[in-house]
Amino acid sequence: IKDNPEKAGAHYVQLTTERYGGALMSTWFDRPLSVAGRVLVRGENGRIATKLVNVDRDLLIIPNVAIHMNRNANDGMSYNAAVDMLPVWMSSEKGSFRAAVAKAAGVAEDAIVTGDLFLYDPQKGVTLGEYISAPRLDDLQCAFSSLTAFLAAGESRAVSVCCIFDNEEVGSETKQGAASTFLYDTLTRLCAALGMDGSEYRRLVAGSFLVSCDNAHAVHPNHSEFADRNHTARMNGGVVIKYNANQRYTSDAVSAGIFRRICESAGVPVQYYANRADMPGGSTLGNISNTQVSLNAVDIGLAQLAMHSPFETAGAADTASLVKALTAFFEHSLVAERDGVYRFL
């Protein structure tokens, strides 16, 4: 949502917005949307403070054009984000959007300096027998599994790190993204606190191991032609190891072999994914974070449908599989004896 958002028309108030990342745009139409984010507010003694805000009710809708006025609506549409994707606000009263945000934040309107606000789908997730459907499974499913495993894991001889980056969908080149120095800075400060110098830090990193977790594409039930037939992933088929010759995924023989052994020790099924050779796929944080912290890394995920839709579908059993695999990973201590040779402790 842009900083000066209200676009007043003859009969409606709309919000001016920008598209974030690679949205599946058609799926945003005709569903109730809400607003969340943060606002910067004036405080006492010249302070400016951040307040998280979630208005948490149905507020807006992006309406489709009726089929009677757009006879080609089912024949392949292209959408202009500056025209077609503007939502209608719940009130025709000008200024009512800012008032609603201020009320949700618990501050006066004139206390708000600016904010980072976003539209989101407030619909609750549902279970469909063996499957789950919910907003933002890509990549909250992996983030949840990673943190759950990190907290559940027992002691090991390694220093375990769980790092969850932001802004992956727009390239990661932000201060909180995988292309930033955040992970590098954290690890160097950790080593310094343990009395280690830069040379020791580099030695430890070179012998470390990274699991990059980002959901994978399940073979589509209506369009199996989009998948490589020998490397398809299915929901509830277990953890997916992802490969790409152009290093959009960072898995190689060494890292995939290590992670396969970890999954075997945990009794977790493994499946494999690669794009069709004539269809470029998305990237993940493994190869991006490796530009700042160089170590062996594997790209994994959980199979899902409708990636980048506001409501996605995945396997209900796969979350538990990833938690088991990552718990075993955090509990293992890997010792790199030489390039490509690891010992499990």
Side-chain angles (χ1 to χ4, degrees):
I1 300 173
K2 293 184 177 180
D3 191 59
N4 184 26
E6 291 192 13
K7 176 186 176 183
H11 305 290
Y12 312 109
V13 170
Q14 293 174 277
L15 300 188
T16 55
T17 58
E18 290 185 77
R19 183 177 65 181
Y20 182 91
L24 195 59
M25 292 172 68
S26 65
T27 59
W28 284 85
F29 288 105
D30 301 325
R31 64 171 67 231
L33 303 172
S34 192
V35 173
R38 65 182 177 183
V39 292
L40 273 288
V41 299
R42 295 181 180 88
E44 297 179 354
N45 302 319
R47 291 187 177 90
I48 293 181
T50 299
K51 275 188 170 288
L52 298 181
V53 58
N54 179 15
V55 185
D56 197 24
R57 65 180 191 274
D58 298 333
L59 299 170
L60 309 104
I61 201 159
I62 303 173
N64 250 311
V65 175
I67 190 70
H68 314 80
M69 301 172 185
N70 182 12
R71 298 289 181 179
N72 297 321
N74 295 322
D75 299 328
M77 283 287 294
S78 62
Y79 300 102
N80 185 322
V83 177
D84 300 304
M85 306 304 295
L86 300 187
V88 176
W89 174 243
M90 65 174 186
S91 171
S92 59
E93 180 183 349
K94 190 167 177 60
S96 56
F97 173 73
R98 187 180 180 88
V101 171
K103 182 177 180 181
V107 300
E109 285 185 57
D110 59 6
I112 296 177
V113 179
T114 187
D116 296 317
L117 297 173
F118 301 86
L119 302 182
Y120 76 94
D121 179 2
Q123 183 177 344
K124 302 297 183 184
V126 298
T127 56
L128 305 170
E130 298 179 3
Y131 309 108
I132 54 174
S133 291
R136 300 172 291 283
L137 287 178
D138 176 34
D139 193 34
L140 290 183
Q141 190 177 20
C142 283
F144 170 83
S145 301
S146 300
L147 184 57
T148 301
F150 179 78
L151 297 174
E155 293 291 332
S156 75
R157 295 175 60 182
V159 175
S160 297
V161 177
C162 180
C163 186
I164 300 175
F165 290 111
D166 200 0
N167 304 131
E168 188 261 351
E169 303 297 350
V170 292
S172 298
E173 294 180 347
T174 61
K175 68 181 186 299
Q176 62 270 18
S180 73
T181 62
F182 179 69
L183 179 57
Y184 168 82
D185 294 341
T186 301
L187 295 179
T188 53
R189 291 178 67 187
L190 177 62
C191 285
L194 295 172
M196 300 176 184
D197 60 16
S199 177
E200 184 72 1
Y201 160 76
R202 285 185 284 274
R203 185 186 70 80
L204 290 174
V205 166
S208 297
F209 192 82
L210 170 70
V211 180
S212 171
C213 305
D214 191 5
N215 271 6
H217 296 291
V219 60
H220 197 285
N222 300 332
H223 290 283
S224 59
E225 71 274 14
F226 294 137
D228 182 291
R229 293 191 178 185
N230 285 356
H231 301 88
T232 59
R234 63 177 182 84
M235 295 182 292
N236 291 320
V239 176
V240 182
I241 298 178
K242 301 186 287 186
Y243 296 88
N244 181 258
N246 292 309
Q247 293 299 291
R248 306 276 274 183
Y249 307 135
T250 192
S251 307
D252 59 18
V254 173
S255 62
I258 291 170
F259 193 74
R260 282 181 62 179
R261 179 169 174 187
I262 291 171
C263 289
E264 288 169 3
S265 72
V268 172
V270 173
Q271 49 188 339
Y272 309 97
Y273 176 83
N275 295 310
R276 274 180 49 141
D278 57 353
M279 295 182 65
S283 63
T284 67
L285 303 183
N287 57 349
I288 297 174
S289 58
N290 259 191
T291 64
Q292 298 292 338
V293 179
S294 300
L295 69 169
N296 275 319
V298 63
D299 259 299
I300 68 164
L302 300 177
Q304 72 161 92
L305 297 172
M307 191 176 288
H308 291 204
S309 169
F311 213 75
E312 302 164 324
T313 300
D318 284 336
T319 303
S321 292
L322 184 54
V323 170
K324 286 178 63 178
L326 292 179
T327 300
F329 167 68
F330 284 125
E331 290 178 344
H332 276 89
S333 295
L334 301 175
V335 177
E337 296 183 340
R338 62 181 186 274
D339 186 35
V341 179
Y342 278 77
R343 180 160 48 95
F344 290 76
L345 299 178

